[in-house]
Every structure is written in C-alpha cells, then in structure tokens.
Amino acid sequence: MSVFDDKKWLTEVFADSGSVFGLAITRKLDEVQSPFQKIAMYETSHFGNLMVIDDVIMLSSRDNFLYHEMLSHPVLFTHPNPKNVVIIGGGDCGTLREVLKHPGVETVTQIDIDEQVTRMAEKYFPELCASNNDPRATLQFADGIKFMREAPTESVDVIIVDSTDPIGPGEGLFNRAFYASCLQALRAGGILVQQSESPLIHMPLLSAMRQAMSDAGFAALQTLNFPQMVYPSGWWTCTLARKGAAFNGFREADAQQAPFATEYYNVDIHKAASALPNFMRKALEAS
Amino acid sequence: MSVFDDKKWLTEVFADSGSVFGLAITRKLDEVQSPFQKIAMYETSHFGNLMVIDDVIMLSSRDNFLYHEMLSHPVLFTHPNPKNVVIIGGGDCGTLREVLKHPGVETVTQIDIDEQVTRMAEKYFPELCASNNDPRATLQFADGIKFMREAPTESVDVIIVDSTDPIGPGEGLFNRAFYASCLQALRAGGILVQQSESPLIHMPLLSAMRQAMSDAGFAALQTLNFPQMVYPSGWWTCTLARKGAAFNGFREADAQQAPFATEYYNVDIHKAASALPNFMRKALEAS
C-alpha cells in the first residue's frame, strides 16, 4: 500500500463513494469562521490556491475554469437573448466573471449568503474577482432562497445556482419549492442552471434534482457533463431547466464568434457536453 | 485539514500533479511478485475489486467499463471492416472482451508481457475474462514491442495498446520506433489506438506521443476524451492514429445497431469524445 510522504496534504474523504482526494499543500494561507461556515485557504504545490469550506474542497486556481465556464457559457448561449441574470451562491465570483464576458448581458445580481467567501476570493483569487466592479454587477450577501421567493414575477432570463453540495447551507437549493420560486421569477423561455454532482457517484441525487425541477413545472431539462478534478470522481455535471419551451440547440454562430477567450468552452465542447452515456440514459428513464 | 479515519485506504500519490487519490479497502485479497512487477489485489468498500501494479492503481470492478469501452468501440467502429485485431498489454482481458463483442472481428491476438496479470484477472475480475475462451482469441504472454517488430507486414487492421504508464515495462510503447513497427504491421487504412494520459496533467506527454506517431508516418490522429475516476485527475484520453488515410467519421449506423450492450459508449458519446477544449487545441497546435 502506498503511503503519504512527509509533505503536507489537504485531503477530503468522500464517504458516499469510499474514496479520497487530496492536493499537496505548501502552506496554509488563511482561515475564517463566518456565521455560516469555516473557510480555509491553502497554497498548493501544483494547483495554485485552494479554497476549502467546512473541510470540503471548493476550487483551485488551476482547475476552476472548467466549472465556471460550463456553468455560464452553455446556458447563456442557449438562451436567445439573456439580459438579466441572477447567480445564487457563486461567492468566489468566478461565475460572475464569465457571465459578464457576454456583452448582451445588462444586469447580473449575485446573491451569496456568506460575504466572507467573496472577501477570501478577492484576496486569494483576484483573477476571479476582476469584474466585480463592472457597473452591470450587483453583489448581495443574503439568503438566495428568500431572494428567489421574493423576486418579481417574470423578471429574470437566466438563473445560475452555483452552490455547495445539497448539505448544509446549500440544502434548500435542491428542492421543488426553490425551483418553483425560480420558475416564477423567470420570463418565458428563461433557463435555470445548477451544478448537479457526479453521474458516477450521485446518480440518484441527479435524478431526484431533475424530478424536482419537472415537478416544479419546468418544461425541459438538459444535463451537461464536464471534467472537474477536485470534485468527487473528477466527473461533474450541471443541469439546465427551461421554462415553457423545449431545448432547440444553442446560438452556435454567436458562440463561434464569441468576443472573449475561454480555456475549456467552445462550440464542439458545448455540443459534446450533452451526450449522455448509456448508464445515465437508463437511470434517467427509470426515474 | 481533513484527516483519514481509521478505515484502511489504498492511496496513490501522483507526484507530477501534487495530488493523491485513494479508495477505502475492506481487505487485501492477494499479492504476487511476477518477474516484471508487483501485482496486488484489494477489495474496496464501494468500487468492487481493485488491481494495483507497482503501487499504481490499474482498474476497479466498478469503473473499468469507461476505459475498456472507449479503448475498443470507437476504433472498431471507425475502421470500415476490422477483421484482425492485436492488443498490446491488456492482460486484465477487459479490452479483449469488448473487442470480441464485434461480430465482424475474426481474430484477436493479445500480447501481455506478464501472465500473472491475466491469472489475477481470471480470479478477481472473472467478468472481464468471460470471453477468453472465444475461438477467435489468442492470448500470448510475450514482449509486445518485439511482437510488433516481427509482425508480418500489412497483416493487422487494428492495434490497441492497453498499457501502463510510459515508465517501467510500458516505456517502450510510447516512442517512434514502436509506432513504426505498428505502422508496418497495419494494412492500409488500419488504425492504432493507445491510452494517452490526462489532458489536465500530462499535456506535454500527450503532445509528444502524437508527435512520435506523426514522425513514424501515421497520416491522421484523433484524441478522444473520457472520464476515468481511478486515474490521475479523473479525465483520461486515448489517441487513434491512422495509416494512409484521414479520419472521416465512423460507422454510425453500425454503432447505432450494435448487437451488444455497453454501459458508457453510444453514438452520441463517440461523437462527443473527439471534441477538444480550447487549451488542448492550443497545446496541440503549438507542438
């Protein structure tokens, strides 16, 4: 059996898959106990800075581009003309930065419950916070569930739920009541997108999420696959739910001519992400 | 920092990415020191049985389908009429099983240097060895590099290199001399496919492999992406190299009507796998 050497490691045990993942750390940078959670920052040997919340790995400098790009660009190029965007969670501001790359977006309101996440990101992921002062952006530190419940009817084009796992503060973001609030706040044809865990490990959760979205009244669902090394299994998804309309491709020409750079996303990747392996098809049909 | 609990873990440190991956093990099943390497078998809590060679995780019962299907079906459905197939390595026999699912395949010769790998697989992955007695299959335990060097000219349609990493016994399978032997053994339009590591971690190695394949005289290359939880980063690839012809899609109708079941592979997945993220495109253009 391999053993760790005398380097320091930040490890996370994934109890529901009997697996462990870790990164070699060169030093601990910071730690703060907010009213909601414990936020710790580390410097790693190969992955830049690392944010860990309540001992769960959130993001690293090196691989966050996968998640942030896939949570932003597919939904924004699928909507015909997204002007008003809401981000629930997303306190590290990486999703916000990607959304603001779209020139047609007029307002982005980000609601993270924990201001300390953003303060840490400003300090240790300044590149992700580069667009925080964009005049189109509003950062609120408040309860996203309440925000969506009170949002004016048909006022939003795209809602991005960039949250932690469905335990702790993120729990209320994965149920029918929350999705009903989102549906009500979306304009016709509007789209909700949410991170939806790993197909290899969390298929029952993914199925349940999709069921709750359907139960809340969303007309069509689309799950997209992408790699994400620092999350359980390294294989992650997000799920799009559309109000009142089926999915019918995306604005391919606009994506092809996007006036901004991406590291992962492109037209081919967007198309590829929606391909579902046989075992996922079977699980989703059965649910 | 998270700490391990008192469960037992089989962990593998990936020095070149400063990361660690591990699976919870319930007991050690076996260990043998062959003339070539140390082969250990474990029972895990969530991933079935696990084979570890020289402390490197090779495969688990639960997730090997990803790798074995992607190393077999894309290449076999890309070749117009594959009859004679050679597998270099592949001693666990999982790739062999997938190849033999194709009714058009007339002969499969598997050459693994280490008979003990196959003996262990027969015992602990019997499902992967279910087709070992197929009359079309020949299992040889010999040096794959020598085998390819001595293979009759233009005698093979598809060569699948299902090897360990390019260190130790697998090293000689990743260079121009080996690829030149493969090219010589392939008939016109024949295809070599080889596992080609992780884009996130091993991009220079992937670029070098592709360069060596081109230098050896292959006419066209295609790298396919797929998830593989137990390998570094959870994101893996294989690369197809074709003799004397460009790639021009695959036998989509045949794949659609395949007379066998797969857990991961299907027509959509095949198409999706060839989509390259921007950072890979850039790295491959630069190399």
Short mmCIF file of all heavy atoms in Angstrom, two decimals, chain A residues 162-185:
data_model
loop_
_atom_site.label_atom_id
_atom_site.label_comp_id
_atom_site.label_asym_id
_atom_site.label_seq_id
_atom_site.Cartn_x
_atom_site.Cartn_y
_atom_site.Cartn_z
N ASP A 162 -24.96 28.31 -8.28
CA ASP A 162 -23.55 27.91 -8.14
C ASP A 162 -23.32 27.72 -6.65
O ASP A 162 -22.75 28.56 -5.97
CB ASP A 162 -22.68 29.04 -8.71
CG ASP A 162 -21.20 28.78 -8.52
OD1 ASP A 162 -20.83 27.70 -8.03
OD2 ASP A 162 -20.41 29.69 -8.85
N SER A 163 -23.78 26.58 -6.16
CA SER A 163 -23.81 26.37 -4.72
C SER A 163 -22.93 25.22 -4.29
O SER A 163 -22.37 24.48 -5.11
CB SER A 163 -25.24 26.04 -4.29
OG SER A 163 -25.55 24.69 -4.61
N THR A 164 -22.81 25.05 -2.99
CA THR A 164 -22.17 23.88 -2.40
C THR A 164 -23.09 22.68 -2.58
O THR A 164 -24.17 22.78 -3.15
CB THR A 164 -21.90 24.14 -0.91
OG1 THR A 164 -23.12 24.58 -0.32
CG2 THR A 164 -20.85 25.19 -0.71
N ASP A 165 -22.65 21.55 -2.08
CA ASP A 165 -23.44 20.31 -2.15
C ASP A 165 -24.76 20.46 -1.39
O ASP A 165 -24.92 21.35 -0.57
CB ASP A 165 -22.63 19.15 -1.53
CG ASP A 165 -21.36 18.87 -2.33
OD1 ASP A 165 -21.37 19.07 -3.55
OD2 ASP A 165 -20.37 18.45 -1.70
N PRO A 166 -25.70 19.55 -1.69
CA PRO A 166 -27.01 19.64 -1.02
C PRO A 166 -27.00 19.19 0.43
O PRO A 166 -27.85 18.42 0.87
CB PRO A 166 -27.90 18.74 -1.88
CG PRO A 166 -26.98 17.83 -2.59
CD PRO A 166 -25.67 18.53 -2.72
N ILE A 167 -26.00 19.65 1.17
CA ILE A 167 -26.00 19.51 2.63
C ILE A 167 -25.56 20.85 3.20
O ILE A 167 -24.85 21.59 2.53
CB ILE A 167 -25.05 18.40 3.13
CG1 ILE A 167 -23.71 18.47 2.36
CG2 ILE A 167 -25.68 17.02 2.98
CD1 ILE A 167 -22.60 17.71 3.02
N GLY A 168 -25.93 21.17 4.41
CA GLY A 168 -25.55 22.46 5.00
C GLY A 168 -26.28 23.60 4.33
O GLY A 168 -27.42 23.43 3.89
N PRO A 169 -25.60 24.79 4.17
CA PRO A 169 -26.28 25.96 3.65
C PRO A 169 -26.89 25.75 2.26
O PRO A 169 -27.85 26.42 1.89
CB PRO A 169 -25.17 27.01 3.58
CG PRO A 169 -24.11 26.54 4.50
CD PRO A 169 -24.21 25.05 4.52
N GLY A 170 -26.35 24.80 1.48
CA GLY A 170 -26.83 24.60 0.11
C GLY A 170 -28.08 23.75 0.01
O GLY A 170 -28.69 23.67 -1.06
N GLU A 171 -28.48 23.12 1.11
CA GLU A 171 -29.54 22.10 1.05
C GLU A 171 -30.84 22.59 0.43
O GLU A 171 -31.44 21.90 -0.40
CB GLU A 171 -29.81 21.59 2.48
CG GLU A 171 -30.61 20.31 2.50
CD GLU A 171 -30.80 19.78 3.93
OE1 GLU A 171 -30.20 20.35 4.87
OE2 GLU A 171 -31.56 18.81 4.09
N GLY A 172 -31.29 23.78 0.84
CA GLY A 172 -32.58 24.29 0.38
C GLY A 172 -32.61 24.71 -1.07
O GLY A 172 -33.64 25.16 -1.58
N LEU A 173 -31.46 24.56 -1.76
CA LEU A 173 -31.38 24.95 -3.17
C LEU A 173 -31.64 23.77 -4.10
O LEU A 173 -31.49 23.88 -5.31
CB LEU A 173 -30.00 25.53 -3.47
CG LEU A 173 -29.59 26.77 -2.66
CD1 LEU A 173 -28.13 27.11 -2.90
CD2 LEU A 173 -30.48 27.96 -3.01
N PHE A 174 -32.01 22.62 -3.52
CA PHE A 174 -32.17 21.41 -4.34
C PHE A 174 -33.58 20.82 -4.20
O PHE A 174 -33.73 19.62 -4.26
CB PHE A 174 -31.13 20.35 -3.94
CG PHE A 174 -29.70 20.68 -4.33
CD1 PHE A 174 -28.93 21.56 -3.58
CD2 PHE A 174 -29.13 20.11 -5.46
CE1 PHE A 174 -27.62 21.85 -3.93
CE2 PHE A 174 -27.83 20.39 -5.82
CZ PHE A 174 -27.06 21.27 -5.06
N ASN A 175 -34.58 21.65 -3.98
CA ASN A 175 -35.91 21.05 -3.83
C ASN A 175 -36.97 21.79 -4.65
O ASN A 175 -36.74 22.87 -5.18
CB ASN A 175 -36.31 20.99 -2.35
CG ASN A 175 -36.38 22.37 -1.73
OD1 ASN A 175 -36.92 23.29 -2.32
ND2 ASN A 175 -35.84 22.51 -0.53
N ARG A 176 -38.14 21.18 -4.72
CA ARG A 176 -39.21 21.66 -5.56
C ARG A 176 -39.66 23.09 -5.22
O ARG A 176 -39.96 23.89 -6.12
CB ARG A 176 -40.40 20.70 -5.41
CG ARG A 176 -41.56 21.06 -6.26
CD ARG A 176 -42.67 20.03 -6.12
NE ARG A 176 -43.90 20.54 -6.67
CZ ARG A 176 -44.96 19.78 -6.95
NH1 ARG A 176 -44.94 18.50 -6.69
NH2 ARG A 176 -46.03 20.33 -7.47
N ALA A 177 -39.68 23.42 -3.94
CA ALA A 177 -40.13 24.76 -3.53
C ALA A 177 -39.19 25.83 -4.10
O ALA A 177 -39.64 26.86 -4.63
CB ALA A 177 -40.17 24.85 -2.00
N PHE A 178 -37.89 25.57 -4.00
CA PHE A 178 -36.93 26.52 -4.55
C PHE A 178 -37.08 26.64 -6.06
O PHE A 178 -37.08 27.74 -6.62
CB PHE A 178 -35.50 26.10 -4.17
CG PHE A 178 -34.44 26.96 -4.81
CD1 PHE A 178 -34.28 28.29 -4.43
CD2 PHE A 178 -33.62 26.46 -5.81
CE1 PHE A 178 -33.31 29.10 -5.04
CE2 PHE A 178 -32.65 27.25 -6.41
CZ PHE A 178 -32.50 28.57 -6.02
N TYR A 179 -37.23 25.48 -6.72
CA TYR A 179 -37.37 25.51 -8.18
C TYR A 179 -38.65 26.23 -8.61
O TYR A 179 -38.68 26.91 -9.64
CB TYR A 179 -37.33 24.09 -8.76
CG TYR A 179 -36.02 23.37 -8.51
CD1 TYR A 179 -35.98 22.01 -8.20
CD2 TYR A 179 -34.81 24.06 -8.56
CE1 TYR A 179 -34.77 21.36 -7.96
CE2 TYR A 179 -33.60 23.42 -8.31
CZ TYR A 179 -33.59 22.08 -8.01
OH TYR A 179 -32.40 21.45 -7.76
N ALA A 180 -39.71 26.11 -7.81
CA ALA A 180 -40.95 26.81 -8.12
C ALA A 180 -40.74 28.33 -8.05
O ALA A 180 -41.25 29.08 -8.88
CB ALA A 180 -42.06 26.36 -7.17
N SER A 181 -39.97 28.77 -7.05
CA SER A 181 -39.63 30.21 -6.96
C SER A 181 -38.88 30.66 -8.21
O SER A 181 -39.13 31.73 -8.75
CB SER A 181 -38.74 30.49 -5.75
OG SER A 181 -39.37 30.15 -4.56
N CYS A 182 -37.93 29.83 -8.62
CA CYS A 182 -37.12 30.18 -9.80
C CYS A 182 -38.01 30.26 -11.03
O CYS A 182 -37.88 31.19 -11.84
CB CYS A 182 -36.02 29.13 -10.02
SG CYS A 182 -34.75 29.14 -8.73
N LEU A 183 -38.88 29.29 -11.18
CA LEU A 183 -39.77 29.25 -12.34
C LEU A 183 -40.61 30.52 -12.43
O LEU A 183 -40.76 31.12 -13.49
CB LEU A 183 -40.69 28.02 -12.25
CG LEU A 183 -41.53 27.74 -13.50
CD1 LEU A 183 -40.68 27.14 -14.60
CD2 LEU A 183 -42.70 26.81 -13.18
N GLN A 184 -41.11 30.91 -11.28
CA GLN A 184 -41.96 32.09 -11.21
C GLN A 184 -41.18 33.36 -11.57
O GLN A 184 -41.69 34.27 -12.23
CB GLN A 184 -42.53 32.15 -9.77
CG GLN A 184 -43.34 33.35 -9.41
CD GLN A 184 -42.52 34.39 -8.64
OE1 GLN A 184 -42.83 35.54 -8.67
NE2 GLN A 184 -41.45 33.96 -7.97
N ALA A 185 -39.92 33.41 -11.18
CA ALA A 185 -39.09 34.61 -11.44
C ALA A 185 -38.61 34.68 -12.88
O ALA A 185 -38.23 35.75 -13.37
CB ALA A 185 -37.90 34.63 -10.49
#
